[in-house]
């Protein structure tokens, strides 16, 4: 393949890295006057457009000797990740203007997204690990970017648990390489497919380590301990980025690893894999929801809720034995709607806490009177997180639970039963928050102004939440197309 | 047409939210216009409904989620048959009534009427949906408005009651979703008509589990002993209009679900469970009536009488024959009008006396003859006096269930005796007796909204009582195919 064609395929990731450099340079040359935010946004937009063009232009296939694969699956995530990051940049521009290391913030954000784009395109253990570590390193610094006590603590905590996760992941990769003799995912899949029962145990051991390493990114139980602390301590924009983009990338890696790297459904270890994630899912939902019940700090509520939501999504991974694309497309659809929903919730919280200087749920009393639009958007997003109609969260949950039941396995019906009970538990804390905002009277009725950029993003997020709740068909089709790329043709 | 019925209230809700703050009080006019228009549509639907045509009528349908993979293909489908048409009419009527009895709401009026209208759309969706996922969607949609209405505009321990309502309903409906998904995955469709035509006979989990998973949600909503405890709290603390809607139409979602979904989709499992259902029904009737006798709070009294009366619905259902099911369907309609009216009257009394303690009331008939007379009419209808709608429904139910469940029917009939006891005793304590000085200042209900609300319900109660065919023609047409399925299993 010609150099030009390779560059064409690698476009979005390369562009994002290039943008990171340009932002740093601009910051260096022009200092605080530099339009780093705008540059970041342009870079993200170009990368997103490039990804869309690739979807349309059919530029798909493995490149660089199979280390990277560009297909509708990776493009779905490329677009999702760049769009989410752009929304974070626009929605928190006011906050960023006050950050001392603004240039570094934007630059690291771009490095992190670029690496995630590479991550979802990885088709080889080594590329995968390098991309994962690059994005993690950038995120560790981002969590501590404001350098106050809280933020530094969050950064350090994230770094320490991330380092352990990386080591465990690498250990799992070493197992896989040792057995299969190759780092290429399709190569490993070929090995797994022909592996006898004797290799089942070492394989299970390998993917348990791998799941532990990636579970850290997905924030599922039992690799979740960092989540509430980091969400609370890190600046809210970083928290929103981690909770949406980083989680999506984590799930993308798991899907890719399983379908391309472990041979998908129908191998000797399919059932073990599904069971493992079924247990993770049930535990995450229970732990996240019960944990959120007793919280009074909204960022911690969102932290625990994000663990519970990871559990919901993991139900889709446990449903791998389902026919066709139903299982993985459920994960993709859920992640798409979850991105809009959680981003809306986080950015609304960011807008409010900037003004209130408090993250306590009591300070949200009567928000509807003080900032009607923000309160309505936040309520809508919380309803969507609960899974109430007519929001996208409802469809996403029904879809993913449906995929689990389609497998026709009894234990998955049990898992869905656990999941729906958890939905009822989660309604308690989500709706309590909604009620506080909409119905309670504020102590101080002065209006809270939401900055223009944030307002735009909030409106967009709530429009997406409602649109995909009422008319989910387009996104479902996209998700199914993307998921089809994972399955053998 | 039915889609219009579905969209009218929610349009009104959105409009009223966009009212400027200083014009909040116009929200009630918006609510009246839109619920009135919806009511007009429901009247037209009921009038044009042709009982001699089998199947669903006024069907609107389009591909809602056209997935490329067949696992999740869902159509938006609305339609009515003889079972749902009366309930749609009831919903249209009670929505207007509930707007009228809310005429004096001042606090956050915009939001109040918006939630009320929003709830009408949700309940309408439940009665009209012909697809399981769509049905579940509307079922869940009703939660949020109800929670908001009770927790904000209620009285007493309103947040506690609203939360209790939420948890009970969500816990019930959670398992319903699992049941629906199992049925859908097995049959490859979520379409109720298709699932009725070809009932699932084998699934990944025992179908008895599926049946009870679905029934749980309906039994909570109905409500049946022992999952009825949310109802008295919700009723007691809810504002009048919400009580009217709750007793009048929301409880019917449970009975409707049983007859529309649980029975025809899983006939064998329903048939096997008929003794349990009959026992639950008999116990609910008696237990509800006994508890009602002990109530000292007027609103709680009416609330518990609902538990007892909804037991008749389950009793009729458990007979699983044409007569019993017709009785159950009619009981749903008549209970909606009668208990709706009782809550209207109790609300009017409470507005004036500011107490619901029966022991503090005496001789109210002297001060408010209109309200008192309507109270007596509603009470007599509630205890099943011939010539009023309650009698027709209860009689049909008992005739239908006597052969199948003689003991439970006997319990039901004894429940009627008890209900005569508590109704007449309450009427005597509240309306009659010496006119005390304390209530000297009470005024009667003479405002046009109060009179209209009461008169419309009294009219329907008497009309159905005197000429039951108004209702029975449609109901029998709707019940016939379901009864045929149920009589086919053994």
């Amino acid at each position: 393949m010609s150099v030009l064609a390779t560059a064409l395929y690698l476009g979005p990731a390369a562009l994002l890295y290039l943008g990171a450099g340009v932002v740093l340079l601009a910051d260096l040359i022009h200092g605080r006057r530099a339009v780093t935010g705008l540059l970041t946004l342009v870079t993200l937009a170009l990368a997103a457009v490039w990804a869309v063009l690739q979807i349309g232009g059919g530029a798909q296939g493995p490149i660089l000797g199979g280390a990277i694969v560009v297909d509708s699956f990776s493009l779905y995530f490329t677009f999702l990740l760049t769009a989410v990051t752009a929304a974070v940049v626009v929605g928190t521009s006011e906050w960023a203007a006050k950050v001392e290391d603004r240039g570094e913030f934007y630059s690291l954000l771009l490095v992190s997204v670029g690496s995630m784009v590479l991550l979802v395109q990885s088709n080889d253990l080594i590329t995968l690990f390098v991309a994962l570590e690059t994005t993690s390193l950038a995120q560790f610094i981002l969590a501590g970017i404001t350098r106050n006590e809280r933020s530094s603590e969050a950064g350090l905590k994230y770094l320490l648990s991330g380092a352990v996760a990386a080591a465990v992941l690498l250990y799992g990769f070493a197992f896989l390489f040792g057995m299969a003799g190759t780092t290429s995912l399709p190569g490993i899949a070929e090995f797994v497919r022909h592996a006898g029962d004797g290799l089942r145990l070492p394989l299970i051991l390998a993917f348990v380590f791998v799941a532990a390493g990636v579970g850290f990114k997905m924030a599922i139980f039992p690799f979740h301990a960092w989540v509430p602390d980091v969400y609370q301590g890190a600046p809210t924009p970083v928290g929103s980025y981690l909770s949406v983009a980083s989680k999506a990338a984590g799930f993308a890696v798991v899907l890719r690893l399983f379908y391309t790297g472990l041979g998908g459904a129908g191998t000797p270890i399919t059932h073990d894999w599904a069971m493992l994630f079924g247990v993770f899912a049930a535990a995450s939902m229970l732990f996240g929801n019960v944990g959120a019940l007793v919280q009074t700090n909204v960022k911690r509520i969102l932290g625990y809720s994000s663990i519970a939501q990871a559990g919901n999504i993991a139900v889709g991974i446990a449903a791998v034995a389902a026919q066709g694309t139903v299982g993985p497309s459920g994960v993709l659809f859920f992640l798409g709607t979850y991105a809009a929903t959680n981003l809306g919730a986080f950015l609304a919280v960011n807008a409010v806490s900037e003004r209130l200087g408090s993250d306590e749920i009591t300070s949200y009393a009567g928000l509807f009177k003080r900032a009607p639009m923000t309160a309505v958007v936040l309520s809508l997003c919380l309803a969507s997180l609960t899974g109430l109609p007519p929001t996208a969260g409802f469809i996403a949950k029904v879809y993913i639970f449906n995929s689990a039941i389609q497998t026709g396995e009894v234990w998955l019906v049990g898992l869905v039963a656990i999941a729906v009970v958890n939905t009822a538990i989660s309604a308690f804390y989500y709706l309590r928050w909604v009620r506080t905002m909409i119905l309670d009277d504020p102590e101080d009725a002065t209006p809270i102004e939401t900055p223009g950029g944030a307002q735009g993003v909030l409106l967009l997020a709530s429009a997406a939440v409602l649109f995909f709740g009422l008319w989910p068909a387009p996104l479902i089709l996209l998700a199914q197309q993307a998921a089809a790329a994972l399955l053998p043709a | 047409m039915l889609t219009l019925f579905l969209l009218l209230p929610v349009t009104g809700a959105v409009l009223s939210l966009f009212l400027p703050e200083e014009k909040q009080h116009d929200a009630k006019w918006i609510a009246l216009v839109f619920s009135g228009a919806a009511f007009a549509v429901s009247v037209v639907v009921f009038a044009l409904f042709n009982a001699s045509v089998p199947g669903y009528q006024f069907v609107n349908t389009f591909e809602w989620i056209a997935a490329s993979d067949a696992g999740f293909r869902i159509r938006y489908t609305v339609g009515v048959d003889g079972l749902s048409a009366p309930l749609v009419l009831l919903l249209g009527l009670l929505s207007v009534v509930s707007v009228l009895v809310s005429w004096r709401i001042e606090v956050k009026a915009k939001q109040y009427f918006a939630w009320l209208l929003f709830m009408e759309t949700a309940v309408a969706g439940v009665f009209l949906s012909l697809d399981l996922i769509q049905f579940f969607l509307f079922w869940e949609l009703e939660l949020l408005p109800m929670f908001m209405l009770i927790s904000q505009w209620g009285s007493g321990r309103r947040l506690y009651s609203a939360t209790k309502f939420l948890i009970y309903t969500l816990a019930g409906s959670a398992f319903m979703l699992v049941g629906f998904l199992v049925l859908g995955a097995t049959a490859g469709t979520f379409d109720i008509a298709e699932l009725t035509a070809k009932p699932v006979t084998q699934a990944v989990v025992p179908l008895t589990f599926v049946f009870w998973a679905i029934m749980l949600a309906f039994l909570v909503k109905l409500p049946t002993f022992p999952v009825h405890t949310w109802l008295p709290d919700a009723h007691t603390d809810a504002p009048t209009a919400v009580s009217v809607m709750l007793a009048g139409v929301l409880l019917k979602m449970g009975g409707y679900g049983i007859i529309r979904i649980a029975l025809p989709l899983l006939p064998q499992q329903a048939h096997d469970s008929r003794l349990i259902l009959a026992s639950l029904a008999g116990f609910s009737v008696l237990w509800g009536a006994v508890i009602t006798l002990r109530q000292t709070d007027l609103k709680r009294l009416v609330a518990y009488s609902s538990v007892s009366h909804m037991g008749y619905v389950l009793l009729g259902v458990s007979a699983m024959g044409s007569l019993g099911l017709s009785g159950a369907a009619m009981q749903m309609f008549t209970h909606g009008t009668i208990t709706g009216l009782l809550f209207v009257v109790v609300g009017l009394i409470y507005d004036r006396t500011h107490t619901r303690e029966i022991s503090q009331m005496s001789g109210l008939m002297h001060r408010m003859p209109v309200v008192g007379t309507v109270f007596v009419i509603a009470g007599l209808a509630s205890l099943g006096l011939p010539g009023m709608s309650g009698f027709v429904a209860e009689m049909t139910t008992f005739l239908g269930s006597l052969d199948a469940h003689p003991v439970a029917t006997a319990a039901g009939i004894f429940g009627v005796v008890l209900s005569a006891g508590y109704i007449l005793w309450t009427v005597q304590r509240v309306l009659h007796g010496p006119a005390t000085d304390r209530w000297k200042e009470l005024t009667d209900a003479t405002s046009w909204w109060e009179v209209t609300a009461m008169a419309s319900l009294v009219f329907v109660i008497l009309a159905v009582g005197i000429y039951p065919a108004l209702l029975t023609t449609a109901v029998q047409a709707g019940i016939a195919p379901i009864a045929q399925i149920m009589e086919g299993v053994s």
Side-chain angles (χ1 to χ4, degrees):
Chain A
M1 189 177 283
S2 73
V3 178
L4 190 68
T6 309
L8 209 65
Y9 277 42
L10 277 178
L15 199 66
L16 290 167
Y17 283 135
L18 191 69
V22 172
V23 166
L24 263 193
L25 268 183
D27 187 54
L28 202 63
I29 296 167
H30 287 289
R32 287 195 60 79
R33 285 170 299 131
V35 280
T36 47
L38 196 63
L39 274 175
T40 310
L41 208 57
V42 170
T43 312
L44 287 166
L46 284 177
V49 169
W50 199 318
V52 172
L53 287 180
Q54 281 179 324
I55 297 174
Q60 298 180 5
I63 50 163
L64 300 179
I68 294 277
V69 62
V70 177
D71 54 13
S72 50
F73 177 79
S74 70
L75 290 175
Y76 181 90
F77 277 102
T78 306
F79 183 76
L80 187 69
L81 292 169
T82 44
V84 161
T85 315
V88 170
V89 169
V90 175
T92 63
S93 55
E94 196 209 21
W95 168 85
K98 285 185 292 192
V99 175
E100 206 180 321
D101 309 309
R102 188 158 51 129
E104 284 85 346
F105 170 72
Y106 284 129
S107 176
L108 284 168
L109 203 59
L110 286 177
V111 169
S112 162
V113 190
S115 311
M116 278 197 215
V117 169
L118 273 185
L119 186 62
V120 299
Q121 295 175 337
S122 300
N123 205 25
D124 183 289
L125 293 183
I126 294 178
T127 337
L128 205 153
F129 186 74
V130 171
L132 193 69
E133 279 312 284
T134 321
T135 184
S136 297
L137 283 175
Q139 287 170 7
F140 299 148
I141 312 174
L142 281 173
I145 192 94
T146 46
R147 284 190 288 187
N148 58 30
E149 204 179 322
R150 269 264 153 98
S151 175
S152 305
E153 188 195 324
L156 190 63
K157 218 170 228 170
Y158 192 31
L159 168 71
L160 289 177
S161 37
V164 174
V168 174
L169 180 71
L170 205 54
Y171 194 43
F173 280 1
F175 266 74
L176 284 177
F177 175 68
M179 281 185 283
T182 172
T183 55
S184 136
L185 292 185
I188 296 173
E190 191 62 24
F191 167 77
V192 171
R193 217 168 286 132
H194 298 113
D197 257 1
L199 281 172
R200 192 168 145 240
L201 216 59
L203 271 174
I204 292 177
L205 203 60
F207 77 67
V208 166
F209 284 134
V210 170
V214 190
F216 167 76
K217 280 264 164 264
M218 300 187 285
I220 58 174
F221 187 92
F223 319 107
H224 63 279
W226 58 278
V227 175
D229 291 340
V230 172
Y231 282 14
Q232 187 187 7
T236 322
V238 178
S240 54
Y241 175 71
L242 292 182
S243 79
V244 178
S246 186
K247 190 190 289 281
F251 275 99
V253 169
V254 165
L255 285 175
R256 177 77 86 191
L257 267 174
F258 177 70
Y259 281 97
T260 315
L262 295 175
T267 65
I269 55 165
T270 304
H271 196 67
D272 306 304
W273 168 276
M275 279 289 207
L276 177 74
F277 272 90
V279 173
F280 283 173
S284 299
M285 290 185 284
L286 276 172
F287 182 85
N289 283 324
V290 173
L293 278 182
V294 294
Q295 301 300 326
T296 56
N297 180 300
V298 293
K299 282 192 194 166
R300 288 188 83 82
I301 293 183
L302 285 179
Y304 279 102
S305 120
S306 134
I307 299 171
Q309 299 289 343
N312 277 319
I313 308 175
V315 172
I317 296 192
V320 286
Q323 290 298 310
T325 63
V326 174
S329 70
V331 176
L332 296 192
F333 179 74
F334 200 116
L335 284 171
T337 58
Y338 175 76
T341 307
N342 219 35
L343 209 57
F346 256 105
L347 292 181
V349 164
N350 184 50
V352 174
S353 59
E354 277 285 292
R355 293 289 186 283
L356 289 180
S358 159
D359 289 331
E360 286 302 305
I361 196 161
T362 42
S363 60
Y364 278 72
L367 189 70
F368 182 67
K369 285 225 179 79
R370 308 179 65 182
M373 197 206 87
T374 313
V376 169
V377 172
L378 188 48
S379 305
L380 203 64
C381 291
L382 291 174
S384 181
L385 285 174
T386 320
L388 288 183
T391 61
F394 171 79
I395 307 282
K397 272 194 179 171
V398 175
Y399 189 91
I400 216 159
F401 296 163
N402 183 47
S403 72
I405 292 201
Q406 294 269 337
T407 57
E409 294 197 38
V410 179
W411 70 273
L412 276 167
V413 177
L415 180 62
V416 173
I418 296 175
V420 291
V421 169
N422 269 284
T423 301
I425 300 176
S426 73
F428 188 76
Y429 62 86
Y430 286 131
L431 296 186
R432 185 180 54 185
W433 188 359
V434 171
R435 189 189 167 280
T436 307
M437 287 191 296
I438 302 267
L439 299 178
D440 282 0
D441 286 315
E443 278 174 26
D444 157 26
T446 42
I448 303 175
E449 225 176 285
T450 311
Q455 255 182 27
V457 176
L458 287 180
L459 275 182
L460 212 61
S462 51
V465 166
L466 269 184
F467 179 81
F468 292 126
L470 294 170
W471 197 243
L475 190 59
I476 287 184
L477 278 177
L478 268 182
Q480 289 185 337
Q481 274 167 17
L486 290 176
L487 301 172
Chain B
M1 182 90 97
L2 294 175
T3 305
L4 183 68
F5 181 71
L6 209 53
L7 290 181
L8 272 172
V10 75
T11 315
V14 172
L15 273 185
S16 90
L17 273 185
F18 278 103
L19 274 181
E21 201 67 34
E22 61 276 11
K23 289 203 173 165
Q24 304 244 2
H25 299 297
D26 295 346
K28 56 189 174 195
W29 288 106
I30 293 184
L32 186 62
V33 167
F34 279 88
S35 62
F39 176 50
V41 173
S42 71
V43 170
V44 172
V45 167
F46 191 76
L48 294 182
F49 177 78
N50 187 344
S52 55
V53 178
Y56 298 103
Q57 299 176 29
F58 303 101
V59 175
N60 276 158
T61 179
F62 62 86
E63 195 90 4
W64 181 42
I65 302 179
S68 66
D69 233 324
F72 200 64
R73 187 166 290 163
I74 292 162
R75 297 185 68 82
Y76 163 89
T77 315
V78 291
V80 289
D81 65 355
L83 177 61
S84 45
L87 291 173
V88 169
L89 182 69
L90 179 70
L91 172 64
L93 174 65
L94 285 179
S95 299
V96 176
V97 169
S98 65
V99 169
L100 289 175
V101 297
S102 312
W103 212 246
R104 288 239 187 85
I105 291 279
E106 300 284 341
V107 186
K108 299 180 187 164
K110 256 171 41 168
Q111 283 190 56
Y112 175 85
F113 285 105
W115 286 122
L116 202 60
L117 288 171
F118 192 49
M119 183 161 76
E120 187 184 354
T121 289
V123 181
V126 169
F127 291 148
L128 296 175
S129 294
L130 296 179
D131 178 284
L132 288 182
I133 298 294
Q134 191 195 340
F135 177 92
F136 180 72
L137 188 153
F138 284 109
W139 184 279
E140 297 275 278
L141 197 57
E142 160 267 334
L143 287 178
L144 197 57
M146 199 62 194
F147 175 74
M148 290 293 178
L149 283 167
I150 298 178
S151 68
Q152 176 65 23
W153 291 273
S155 54
R157 294 190 302 166
R158 55 194 188 187
L159 186 56
Y160 166 82
S161 299
T163 311
K164 196 168 174 182
F165 162 80
L166 191 76
I167 290 173
Y168 266 78
T169 319
L170 263 178
S173 62
F175 291 108
M176 177 165 81
L177 175 64
V178 180
F180 283 0
L181 290 178
V182 170
L183 285 180
T186 315
T189 176
F190 289 104
D191 188 273
I192 292 179
E194 275 180 54
L195 284 163
T196 310
K198 268 187 289 185
V200 172
T201 50
Q202 186 76 43
V204 50
V205 282
L207 283 176
T208 314
F209 285 173
V210 177
F211 176 74
W212 283 105
I214 295 173
M215 273 305 267
L216 181 64
F218 297 148
L219 291 180
V220 167
K221 203 80 189 177
L222 195 57
T224 311
F225 179 88
V227 283
H228 66 283
T229 53
W230 63 271
L231 181 84
D233 285 321
H235 263 314
T236 313
D237 296 337
T240 303
V242 175
S243 285
V244 172
M245 288 297 273
L246 184 59
V249 285
L250 264 76
L251 305 186
K252 277 67 203 174
M253 287 162 54
Y256 174 78
I258 295 177
I259 302 179
R260 165 73 74 232
I261 292 173
L263 257 51
L265 264 51
L266 294 160
Q268 186 62 53
Q269 288 67 32
H271 188 78
D272 296 343
S273 315
R274 65 192 187 286
L275 260 180
I276 305 176
L277 294 179
S279 321
L280 283 177
F283 206 76
S284 286
V285 170
L286 280 186
W287 179 258
V290 170
I291 302 278
T292 311
L293 272 172
R294 292 181 40 87
Q295 294 310 309
T296 55
D297 177 314
L298 193 53
K299 209 166 174 191
R300 247 186 137 73
L301 185 142
V302 182
Y304 270 111
S305 83
S306 272
V307 177
S308 176
H309 279 108
M310 291 312 279
Y312 296 140
V313 174
L314 195 60
L315 182 63
V317 165
S318 66
M320 303 198 176
S322 157
L323 214 51
L325 286 170
S326 302
M330 278 192 284
Q331 172 72 5
M332 288 202 282
F333 182 89
T334 56
H335 175 265
T337 51
I338 295 168
T339 307
L341 183 57
L342 276 174
F343 275 115
V344 169
V345 174
V346 169
L348 291 177
I349 293 177
Y350 176 70
D351 278 349
R352 289 166 172 75
T353 59
H354 301 290
T355 177
R356 292 189 306 248
E357 280 302 309
I358 296 175
S359 55
Q360 305 203 2
M361 300 176 193
S362 170
L364 294 189
M365 194 63 146
H366 299 282
R367 307 292 175 208
M368 18 208 252
V370 176
V371 173
T373 311
V374 175
F375 195 159
V376 171
I377 295 175
L380 292 178
S382 177
L383 61 83
L385 191 77
M388 302 209 193
S389 56
F391 172 74
V392 187
E394 281 169 21
M395 203 58 207
T396 320
T397 308
F398 294 145
L399 285 178
S401 64
L402 188 60
D403 282 341
H405 308 292
V407 181
T409 309
I413 293 173
F414 188 61
V416 175
V417 178
L418 287 181
S419 77
Y422 61 72
I423 296 278
L424 295 177
W425 191 28
T426 310
V427 164
Q428 183 239 322
R429 282 181 296 173
V430 172
L431 298 179
H432 301 294
T436 50
D437 278 352
R438 177 169 174 194
W439 305 123
K440 212 162 55 182
E441 308 297 322
L442 288 191
T443 51
D444 205 356
T446 45
S447 319
W448 64 269
W449 64 85
E450 295 164 335
V451 174
T452 319
M454 291 188 291
S456 55
L457 287 173
V458 169
F459 171 77
V460 175
I461 291 171
L462 290 178
V464 173
I466 293 165
Y467 189 61
L470 279 178
L471 187 62
T472 50
T473 327
V475 164
Q476 272 159 6
I479 289 297
I482 297 165
Q484 202 183 346
I485 293 174
M486 295 316 298
E487 280 157 4
V489 291
S490 53

